[in-house]
Amino acid sequence: MQIADASPERIIEIAQFTARSRRSPTAQDYRKILDSTASYTNRVIASAKLLGFIEEDKNAGHRYVGPSELETSSIDGWPLLFRLRLQDFIPFMYFAFWISAGDSAVGAARKTCVEFEISNASESVRRTFYRWGSFSGILEGGNKTPTISSTQWTLATLGFVEKLRASLEEDFSAKLFTMSRLGADVVPELAQRSVPFSDVADSLRTFENDAEKAIDRSAQAVEALLASVLRDTSSKQRLPTGIGKLVEELKSGGEVTTRHVDVVKAIGGLRNATGHAVDLDTGRPWTMSVEAALASTMLSIITLRSIVKYRSNATQLL
């Protein structure tokens, strides 16, 4: 992976242009907008792609894939909308995680480069991530020893801005908490395997209002990890369906323990009770409580951590 050094203002500038444009802008179009060199323009484009604002189409143009609010947002709303994408970028979240734990930006950047195999020099990554984090309001203080910002936004432009700010604060806190519970060694492994780490954090935010969705989404993350490990270790062309069958297959191959099977089946049992599924014994659906949703989400975090640690160094931790 490479982190292109580009200004956050320029990234979101071309993103908003793309969102508002009736055409598919090319690299040459972006260069004219930025009034910059081809080299710098390419860095801005690469960063906009990396953060999920734009993607290239088959004709070498670009289409917008970022948050819909950017199309109508004023410049005042750019930092929040940049933050919306930045908080979904796991290498940056990992960088912020180390800073929240008291590390310097230099140390956080070095660790991030190692864990995510970033080809840039760590000093370049530190500068870029600090600029991105400072612009979006996540980081404050000096660029060598920043802290996580607690500054309240005072934008009074559109109604969605304040709601988005509050949502982003919750999202960031939930992701940091989830990362702290999983451990700094587990998160990169999940990212490498495309396990939806954000789904688990989202479940922590939504379990009180949507218990069934929280149970299902956190269980999906466990299922994704099991399927990824099984693809690595099994010669079978087709994987079994269902979280229970996946973990049993892994147990038969010695990849997990009986205790892992027990815990995963508990998650599966709670998940199977969602969606108004009719109970085989009573013929009636179960109502999922807030407590069940929280327990299932935390159990999913514990399971993800336990399986990764067991397979990496035989640590038995629940």
Side-chain angles (χ1 to χ4, degrees), residues 75 81 112:
I75 292 178
L81 294 166
T112 303

Side-chain angles (χ1 to χ4, degrees), residues 130-166:
Y130 177 78
R131 290 172 73 190
W132 292 0
S134 179
F135 173 73
S136 61
I138 293 175
L139 300 177
E140 62 182 10
N143 60 13
K144 293 292 181 68
T145 56
T147 57
I148 301 299
S149 173
S150 58
T151 301
Q152 294 295 309
W153 289 88
T154 57
L155 301 178
T157 50
L158 299 176
F160 79 85
V161 172
E162 180 58 27
K163 294 178 182 178
L164 181 58
R165 182 203 62 77

Side-chain angles (χ1 to χ4, degrees), residues 96-131:
F97 167 76
W98 280 105
I99 289 175
S100 71
D103 204 349
S104 67
V106 173
R110 289 173 179 167
K111 295 175 179 69
T112 303
C113 287
V114 170
E115 284 292 356
F116 293 92
E117 299 180 358
I118 297 172
S119 58
N120 309 61
S122 63
E123 179 61 15
S124 172
V125 172
R126 179 197 65 77
R127 289 195 305 268
T128 300
F129 279 1
Y130 177 78
R131 290 172 73 190

Side-chain angles (χ1 to χ4, degrees), residues 14 17-18 21 23-34 41-42 45 54 56-57 59-63:
I14 68 164
F17 173 78
T18 309
S21 179
R23 50 199 301 245
S24 299
T26 64
Q28 186 62 29
D29 294 328
Y30 289 141
R31 182 179 179 184
K32 292 177 181 177
I33 291 167
L34 297 173
T41 300
N42 288 336
I45 294 171
I54 62 174
E56 191 169 344
D57 62 25
N59 298 316
H62 298 85
R63 57 177 169 264

